[in-house]
């Protein structure tokens, strides 16, 4: 990964009494959040999440942080602190535990409940350390104090990390909803107390740093949901993140009010809501839930389906419904509610789903035409509030793309943090806090690790480039048979094209050029298979480019006899 300091080399040894911070994800991107803290030879990890692929990464399921930096030091890790249970903060934990199974996982009750449920699918039993807001725990040289923060999932925490190098406050993802669904406010009093004690480095969520003002309260969408239920003619189908327990609670409350039954669709939705219900974070009225397999037996006007697929994921329930590839068939009069934000890059996929649902006669209610979602991340006004409360000596924006990090850094400047004390880093950049000053001191290797099915880390950028070419331009294969001694053509060429948009009959036009190129190579004494392949690829590539202005993948196969 690139960063704004391309000249950086490996960092020097950490000075005695200094604290080192290396983000292995979450900087310059939204997702894959993971930060490693080092003091006196010991390590503390905060979060371990995944990044979801974009269309430029075909066939990829997940993107993990690069564990190479810590792979040889797994025994030095005291604990893994998980700020909350969203996939971009816990999704890579199963892959980290493959490296060392007994890593202690530290988090709130709900966070640990959801990660334990996830790890059951991986046949792992985690070592759990449950903490609550207001609690202090020591892990080796790291004393951690936990603070309640409000987010779009219950039980989120910020963590203050105390070492002799100073106090670092890591906010995790947060907002400052003053009327949260669960009554659990962000602990601004605790932040202010830390500020009075002296925050040496603030690491704060940057996702909404470009959005002015304050985020709308979660409660403000309740009237919109109620209106959707009141005006719906037949079934209501709600698509939400499988972790948005507050949103699911609002839907269930509305269903009970309007006399509708609720069915949960999708494995992750059923699993997460089961955990939330068992732990007391989701209140389900008696008799409200029905099995999804029985839903067709109920009158359409009496049911609500809650499913995944709000981001247009092709295999999620909602996308399959839109494509008529799901047992539940969308019908005229159905109402579909997309109760989530739109993750950047997913616009095309979501619009495709909306169009597919509309085609079958559904009314689609989404963020573009109704207030059916509020963000879980603090806007600029809230970020300024936290900066002024904590009065940090040094500031490092985290969790956001480059524009978000830059905007957050500007907010810090406005509150009086000196430019030389504002650190904008990238994944893999090493930040050392020494004698009260945070500085960039080097960089470590930190790339993408791709998960493709059961394959982890085997797919390279070169392989992805090949996939993109195949998807966009198709391929042409050319089989030639040559004399192993002289390199002269003795059979073929046979040419096959797939997905290239080239008329198969037109391929005959390049055969004489291939024959001429191989004859010339043989006369020059070329008998090496690799050189013959290059000659074939070059000849066919030039012909396709000149004739069709296309660049398919060209696969020469040379058989020696």
């Amino acid at each position: 990964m690139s960063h704004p300091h391309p000249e950086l080399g490996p960092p020097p040894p950490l000075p005695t009494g200094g604290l080192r911070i290396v983000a292995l994800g979450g900087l310059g991107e939204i997702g894959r959040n993971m930060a490693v803290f080092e003091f006196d030879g010991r390590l503390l990890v905060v979060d371990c999440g995944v990044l979801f692929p974009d269309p430029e990464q075909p066939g990829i399921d997940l993107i993990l942080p690069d564990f190479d930096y810590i792979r040889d030091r797994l025994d030095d890790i005291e604990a893994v602190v998980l700020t909350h249970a969203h996939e971009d903060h816990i999704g890579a934990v199963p892959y980290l535990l493959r490296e060392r199974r007994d890593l202690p996982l530290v988090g709130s009750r709900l966070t640990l409940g959801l990660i334990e449920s996830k790890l059951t699918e991986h046949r792992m039993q985690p070592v759990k350390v449950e903490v609550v807001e207001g609690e202090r725990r020591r892990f080796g040289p790291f004393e951690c104090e936990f603070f309640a923060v409000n987010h779009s999932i219950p039980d989120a925490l910020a963590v203050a990390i105390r070492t002799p190098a100073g106090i670092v406050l890591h906010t995790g993802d947060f907002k400052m909803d003053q009327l949260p669904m669960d009554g659990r406010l962000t602990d601004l009093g605790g932040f202010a107390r830390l500020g009075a004690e002296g925050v040496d480095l603030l690491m704060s969520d940057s996702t909404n740093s470009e959005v002015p003002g304050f985020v709308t309260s979660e409660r403000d969408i309740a009237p919109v949901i109620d209106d959707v239920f009141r005006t719906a003619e037949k079934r209501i189908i709600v698509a939400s993140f499988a972790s948005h327990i507050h949103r699911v609670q609002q839907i269930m409350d509305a269903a009970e009010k309007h006399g509708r039954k609720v069915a949960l669709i999708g494995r992750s939705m059923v699993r997460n809501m089961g955990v939330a219900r068992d732990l007391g974070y989701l209140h389900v009225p008696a008799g409200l839930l029905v099995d999804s397999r029985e839903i067709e037996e109920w009158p359409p006007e009496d049911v609500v389906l809650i499913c995944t697929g709000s981001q247009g994921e092709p295999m999620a329930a909602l996308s399959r419904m839109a494509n008529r590839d799901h047992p539940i068939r969308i019908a005229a009069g159905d109402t579909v509610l997309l109760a989530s934000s739109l993750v950047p890059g997913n616009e095309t996929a979501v619009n495709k789903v909306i169009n597919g649902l509309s085609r079958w006669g559904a009314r689609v209610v989404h963020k573009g035409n109704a207030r059916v979602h509020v963000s879980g991340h603090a806007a600029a006004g809230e970020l300024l509030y936290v900066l002024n409360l904590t009065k940090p000596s040094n500031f490092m924006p985290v969790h956001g793309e480059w524009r978000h990090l830059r905007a957050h850094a500007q907010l810090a400047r406005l509150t009086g943090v000196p430019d030389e004390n504002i650190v904008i880093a990238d994944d893999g950049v090493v930040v050392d806090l020494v004698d009260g000053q945070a500085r960039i001191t080097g960089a470590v290797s930190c790339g993408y690790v791709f998960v493709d099915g059961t394959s982890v880390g085997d797919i390279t950028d070169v392989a992805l480039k090949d996939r993109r070419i195949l998807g966009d331009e198709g391929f042409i294969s050319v089989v030639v048979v040559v004399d192993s001694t002289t390199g002269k053509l003795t059979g073929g060429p046979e040419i096959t094209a797939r997905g290239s948009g080239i008329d198969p009959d037109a391929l005959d036009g390049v055969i004489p050029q291939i024959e001429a190129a191989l004859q010339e190579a043989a006369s020059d004494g070329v008998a090496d298979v690799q050189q013959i392949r290059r000659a074939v690829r070059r000849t066919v590539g030039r012909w396709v480019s000149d004739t069709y202005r296309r660049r398919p993948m060209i696969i020469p196969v040379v058989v020696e006899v």
Side-chain angles (χ1 to χ4, degrees):
M1 293 288 292
S2 62
H3 48 77
H5 311 278
E7 73 281 0
L8 288 175
L14 179 62
T16 301
L19 177 70
R20 174 160 291 174
I21 302 135
V22 181
L24 300 183
L27 301 185
E29 61 194 1
I30 295 180
R32 212 170 62 121
N33 299 293
M34 183 176 182
V36 179
F37 295 80
E38 177 180 356
F39 184 86
D40 195 22
R42 305 302 293 172
L43 304 178
L44 181 77
V45 176
V46 174
D47 289 327
C48 186
V50 296
L51 180 67
F52 294 101
D54 61 36
E56 293 295 302
Q57 294 152 337
I60 299 302
D61 300 316
L62 298 170
I63 304 172
L64 307 179
D66 187 344
F67 299 145
D68 277 353
Y69 173 65
I70 58 174
R71 187 162 275 121
D72 293 335
R73 302 188 58 189
L74 294 168
D75 290 338
D76 295 336
I77 300 175
E78 297 287 351
V80 179
V81 174
L82 303 173
T83 58
H84 64 282
H86 279 151
E87 284 295 298
D88 59 337
H89 291 257
I90 67 168
V93 169
Y95 300 92
L96 180 60
L97 292 188
R98 290 183 187 182
E99 309 277 346
R100 180 185 156 194
R101 293 220 168 203
D102 64 343
L103 280 172
L105 304 182
V106 182
S108 65
R109 188 168 178 235
L110 178 64
T111 299
L112 293 179
L114 290 174
I115 191 64
E116 184 174 28
S117 177
K118 172 187 284 291
L119 289 171
T120 299
E121 297 182 1
H122 291 261
R123 298 178 182 177
M124 293 180 178
Q125 185 61 42
V127 177
K128 299 185 297 180
V129 181
E130 185 177 319
V131 295
V132 296
E133 56 261 31
E135 184 175 354
R136 290 196 186 195
R137 283 287 187 102
R138 177 168 288 279
F139 305 99
F142 307 97
E143 184 185 59
C144 296
E145 181 178 2
F146 300 93
F147 299 85
V149 292
N150 183 248
H151 188 39
S152 53
I153 189 171
D155 242 11
L157 295 169
V159 57
I161 302 168
R162 288 180 169 85
T163 66
I167 298 175
V168 177
L169 173 59
H170 192 303
T171 67
D173 286 352
F174 80 101
K175 60 177 177 176
M176 287 162 47
D177 190 339
Q178 297 304 295
L179 295 170
M181 295 292 297
D182 57 4
R184 186 172 177 270
L185 295 164
T186 293
D187 187 2
L188 300 179
F191 286 180
R193 174 175 52 77
L194 270 186
E197 186 178 344
V199 173
D200 295 278
L201 175 65
L202 173 64
M203 300 172 67
S204 182
D205 176 16
S206 306
T207 307
N208 266 355
S209 60
E210 291 185 311
V211 179
F214 284 64
V215 168
T216 305
S217 173
E218 187 77 28
R219 292 182 186 271
D220 287 355
I221 71 170
V224 181
I225 293 175
D226 186 74
D227 186 62
V228 169
F229 274 72
R230 184 176 50 80
T231 58
E233 299 173 10
K234 295 185 179 179
R235 291 178 302 187
I236 299 173
I237 300 163
V238 181
S240 175
F241 291 120
S243 58
H244 206 328
I245 295 165
H246 292 322
R247 189 64 42 78
V248 172
Q249 184 70 69
Q250 286 180 306
I251 298 301
M252 288 188 171
D253 291 345
E256 182 187 29
K257 176 181 175 181
H258 291 272
R260 289 176 179 256
K261 300 293 184 181
V262 174
L264 301 176
I265 310 292
R267 185 179 63 175
S268 58
M269 181 68 73
V270 172
R271 180 190 69 198
N272 287 359
M273 294 311 138
V275 172
R277 182 182 188 178
D278 292 344
L279 295 179
Y281 293 91
L282 182 71
H283 171 66
V284 183
L288 183 71
L289 278 181
V290 296
D291 194 291
S292 60
R293 291 168 292 188
E294 303 171 9
I295 206 69
E296 296 293 342
E297 301 173 10
W298 290 85
E301 62 273 13
D302 291 344
V303 299
V304 180
L305 312 179
I306 304 177
C307 67
T308 54
S310 60
Q311 300 304 306
E313 304 96 316
M315 296 308 295
L318 193 67
S319 296
R320 293 172 58 204
M321 291 178 200
N323 293 329
R324 278 287 203 260
D325 183 31
H326 195 278
I328 295 169
R329 312 286 278 185
I330 297 293
D334 287 345
T335 298
V336 178
L337 175 61
L338 298 180
S340 64
S341 62
L342 190 59
V343 174
N346 292 345
E347 295 88 352
T348 300
V350 172
N351 287 333
K352 183 178 178 182
V353 169
I354 292 173
N355 282 321
L357 296 166
S358 301
R359 178 184 180 188
W360 306 118
R363 174 173 72 118
V364 185
V365 182
H366 54 87
K367 191 178 180 183
N369 59 23
R371 178 173 283 180
V372 292
H373 178 74
V374 296
S375 177
H377 300 271
E382 296 157 84
L383 298 177
L384 284 169
Y385 206 103
V386 169
L387 281 159
N388 285 325
L389 276 179
T390 57
K391 300 184 282 289
S393 301
N394 299 273
F395 176 68
M396 179 177 172
V398 295
H399 302 176
E401 297 173 348
W402 272 104
R403 58 197 179 100
H404 306 128
L405 302 181
R406 295 283 187 193
H408 204 173
Q410 177 59 20
L411 296 178
R413 289 188 190 95
L414 293 174
T415 63
V417 181
D419 271 359
E420 61 270 20
N421 291 12
I422 297 173
V423 178
I424 304 179
D426 200 355
D427 294 341
V429 169
V430 178
V431 177
D432 288 348
L433 178 65
V434 179
D435 297 329
Q437 177 71 51
R439 290 190 179 89
I440 290 174
T441 58
V444 299
S445 176
C446 181
Y448 281 172
V449 176
F450 298 110
V451 178
D452 183 357
T454 59
S455 167
V456 179
D458 295 332
I459 303 299
T460 63
D461 288 330
V462 173
L464 282 180
K465 181 180 179 183
D466 288 346
R467 289 182 179 184
R468 288 194 294 270
I469 293 172
L470 286 168
D472 293 340
E473 303 283 355
F475 74 92
I476 297 174
S477 65
V478 185
V479 180
V480 296
V481 181
V482 299
D483 186 291
S484 60
T485 304
T486 64
K488 289 184 178 180
L489 184 67
T490 62
E494 295 181 6
I495 307 180
T496 305
R498 292 287 185 274
S500 63
I502 299 173
D503 182 354
D505 294 336
L507 293 170
D508 293 341
V510 73
I511 290 177
Q513 297 182 33
I514 298 172
E515 293 173 339
L518 293 183
Q519 183 176 352
E520 181 181 352
S523 64
D524 290 340
V526 174
D528 178 68
V529 169
Q530 294 298 333
Q531 293 188 53
I532 294 171
R533 285 198 189 106
R534 281 196 289 270
V536 172
R537 183 181 291 113
R538 187 166 53 246
T539 302
V540 176
R542 187 185 307 116
W543 176 82
V544 174
S545 177
D546 292 344
T547 309
Y548 292 94
R549 296 292 186 267
R550 296 183 67 85
R551 300 186 65 182
M553 180 175 289
I554 298 166
I555 305 172
V557 179
V558 179
V559 180
E560 292 182 293
V561 293

